[in-house]
């Protein structure tokens, strides 16, 4: 699957913040430890507050190994 | 020249539908009008708002009919059997899908990139989980409940373990998995004891419950209304029946996301201490509701 990669600082700046009614950002690391958000978070994040999302690129996400 | 004025005369009063207060509270809150001319798009086949009102009201009545005096969801404060979570997932939005019919004060919120539509709440398998607002700290067993996983109560299996019931409807998963509460029951601080794992399009219909014994690493997964009966001895054991693979996302004891949810939830339901008869009756009510919404296979 694909997602939008964030810097660690970007990820922490949005973590737990609301992007839509009853919906909150949840950046997660990929297998390399890079932080990602995904389609709904990207699309529904209000603009212009999250205009900077336009600088993010859709990138392949590989999930970390599960337990 | 006289004028004749025809006046319509109504012979007899029309009947006025009466709805349960839970029905009205739910559907008014999520913005579905009781209108027979409005075909509501938040269902797989559009049905009218009036039809939704009737379906939900029948559902509420069925839940109450299965209640036992002194128990059940109508008496949250003192009930020995509590219907703690009942999210019919109607409405197509996170807010609508977070509405808890059993306890409107405890709604669910969603984290990550869920898709909310007429089918319910759809996870992405990467970062989706959900949380509700209740902490059962007022109960002696200190259950802590999340929309997604609950803590085991530590009771003996026969003496009142927590029943978590769910209905799996056409590619939809509805169930929680269990996390152990270490400080109360002295069990190892085990990370998620997943009920099952679901990936892909395996489907089955039916209700199943997960009950966890107060023994580290021992779990019993039992179908009550479904088509399979199976058990697994550890969370890492792959069930032999592929139809048992389903999971829902939650947090482990370190508040880290584990098993992010992948699948569609169309009805999330948790009841604590339900009798088998209640469980069966509530399951039948959920099936009737989802059938009326055209969301059953």
């Amino acid at each position: 699957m694909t997602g939008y990669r964030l810097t660690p600082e970007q990820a922490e700046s949005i973590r737990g913040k609301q992007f839509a009614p009853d919906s909150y950002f949840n950046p997660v690391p990929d297998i390399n430890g890079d932080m990602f958000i995904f389609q709904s978070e990207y699309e529904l994040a209000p603009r212009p507050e999250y205009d900077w999302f336009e600088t993010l690129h859709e990138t392949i996400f590989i999930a970390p190994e599960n337990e | 020249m006289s004028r004749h004025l025809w006046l319509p005369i109504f012979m007899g009063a029309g009947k006025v539908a009466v709805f349960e207060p839970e029905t009205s509270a739910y559907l008014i809150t999520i913005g579905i009008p009781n209108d027979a001319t409005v075909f509501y798009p938040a269902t797989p086949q559009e049905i009218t708002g009036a039809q939704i009102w009737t379906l939900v009201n029948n559902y509420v009545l069925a839940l109450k009919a299965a209640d036992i005096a002194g128990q059940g969801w109508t008496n949250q404060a003192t009930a020995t059997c509590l219907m703690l979570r009942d999210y019919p997932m109607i409405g197509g939005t996170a807010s609508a899908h977070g509405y808890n019919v059993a306890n409107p004060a405890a709604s669910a919120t969603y984290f990550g990139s869920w898709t909310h539509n007429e089918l319910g709440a759809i996870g992405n398998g990467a970062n989706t989980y959900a949380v509700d607002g209740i902490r059962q700290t007022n109960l002696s067993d200190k259950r802590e409940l999340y929309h997604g996983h609950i803590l085991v109560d530590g009771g003996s299996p026969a003496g009142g373990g927590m029943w978590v019931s769910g209905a799996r409807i056409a590619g939809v998963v509805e169930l929680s998995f269990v996390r152990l509460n270490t400080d109360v029951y002295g069990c190892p601080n085990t990370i998620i004891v997943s009920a099952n794992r679901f990936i892909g399009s395996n489907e089955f219909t039916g209700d199943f419950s997960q009950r966890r014994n107060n023994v580290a690493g021992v779990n019993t997964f039992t179908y009550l209304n479904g088509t399979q009966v199976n058990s697994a001895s550890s969370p890492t054991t792959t069930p032999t029946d592929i139809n048992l693979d389903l999971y829902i996302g939650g947090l482990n004891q370190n508040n880290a996301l584990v098993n992010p949810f992948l699948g569609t939830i169309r009805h999330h339901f948790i009841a604590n201490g339900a009798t088998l008869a209640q469980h069966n009756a509530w399951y039948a009510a959920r099936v009737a509701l989802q059938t009326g919404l055209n969301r059953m296979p």
Side-chain angles (χ1 to χ4, degrees):
Chain A
M1 68 183 297
T2 59
Y4 296 86
R5 187 164 57 201
L6 305 168
T7 66
E9 295 75 23
Q10 288 173 332
E12 292 315 305
S13 74
I14 64 173
R15 183 179 302 285
K17 289 188 177 178
Q18 188 170 357
F19 64 89
D22 295 300
S23 302
Y24 298 82
F25 289 115
N26 181 40
V28 293
D30 72 351
I31 195 169
N32 299 317
D34 294 324
M35 303 303 290
F36 278 76
I37 57 173
F38 300 89
Q39 195 64 30
S40 295
E41 294 159 289
Y42 176 85
E43 286 183 354
L44 298 179
R47 272 52 169 187
E49 181 179 359
Y50 292 98
D51 273 347
W52 61 270
F53 276 17
E54 304 306 321
T55 66
L56 304 177
H57 299 288
E58 202 167 0
T59 308
I60 292 176
F61 170 84
I62 301 175
E65 294 288 329
N66 214 338
E67 86 276 14
Chain B
M1 180 185 292
S2 63
R3 296 184 62 185
H4 298 275
L5 182 62
W6 290 96
L7 296 174
I9 299 174
F10 291 100
M11 304 297 294
K15 292 187 177 179
V16 177
V18 177
F19 296 98
E20 296 296 296
E22 293 82 1
T23 302
S24 301
Y26 177 31
L27 295 176
I28 289 174
T29 298
I30 68 173
I32 294 183
N34 180 16
D35 189 331
T37 65
V38 175
F39 286 82
Y40 201 75
T43 52
Q45 287 182 349
E46 298 183 2
I47 60 176
T48 67
Q51 287 175 292
I52 294 175
W53 275 71
T54 298
L55 284 168
V56 170
N57 200 57
N58 289 342
Y59 175 67
V60 170
L61 289 170
L63 296 180
K64 292 182 174 180
D67 201 354
I68 298 174
Q71 297 181 333
W73 68 307
T74 57
N75 190 3
Q76 290 281 333
T78 61
T80 56
C81 167
L82 298 176
M83 184 179 296
L84 296 158
R85 303 286 181 274
D86 191 354
Y87 304 90
M89 303 284 190
I90 301 171
T93 67
S95 297
H97 294 166
Y99 189 95
N100 181 357
V101 175
N103 187 350
S107 60
T109 51
Y110 294 85
F111 290 77
S113 284
W114 290 86
T115 298
H116 294 275
N117 59 24
E118 70 278 6
L119 299 178
I122 307 171
N124 68 2
N127 73 338
T128 46
Y129 73 97
V131 177
D132 60 40
I134 274 188
R135 296 291 183 270
Q136 294 281 314
T137 55
N138 59 320
L139 297 179
S140 61
D141 58 7
K142 291 187 169 50
R143 290 184 181 85
E144 187 167 312
L145 295 166
Y146 292 95
H147 181 99
H149 68 271
I150 60 172
L151 300 177
V152 70
D153 69 348
S156 66
M162 171 83 81
W163 288 88
V164 178
S165 68
R168 177 76 160 77
I169 304 172
V172 172
V173 68
E174 174 221 339
L175 192 67
S176 305
F177 54 86
V178 178
R179 188 184 91 179
L180 200 56
N181 184 6
T182 62
D183 59 341
V184 177
Y185 307 111
C187 294
N189 192 14
T190 309
I191 301 180
I192 298 301
V193 174
S194 58
N196 302 285
R197 291 190 178 216
F198 171 68
I199 303 174
S201 61
N202 296 318
E203 298 181 2
F204 65 90
T205 58
D207 232 8
F208 66 97
S209 282
Q210 175 190 337
R211 180 180 62 187
R212 193 185 190 286
N213 301 329
N214 189 24
V215 176
V218 176
N219 309 286
T220 302
F221 310 107
T222 306
Y223 281 95
L224 296 182
N225 302 89
T227 59
Q228 301 291 341
V229 175
N230 194 36
S231 64
S233 61
S234 83
T236 59
T237 299
T238 300
T240 56
D241 189 329
I242 194 171
N243 285 328
L244 299 183
D245 269 359
L246 50 83
Y247 63 90
I248 192 168
L251 303 177
N252 68 8
Q253 74 279 16
N254 297 320
N255 285 329
L257 178 64
V258 291
N259 298 336
F261 180 66
L262 174 65
T264 306
I265 308 175
R266 287 186 194 157
H267 201 139
H268 183 74
F269 177 92
I270 298 179
N272 172 28
T275 65
L276 183 58
Q278 284 179 306
H279 182 93
N280 289 339
W282 288 339
Y283 168 69
R286 290 197 298 280
V287 170
L289 170 62
Q290 296 295 331
T291 298
L293 294 171
N294 296 315
R295 302 201 295 198
M296 287 291 286

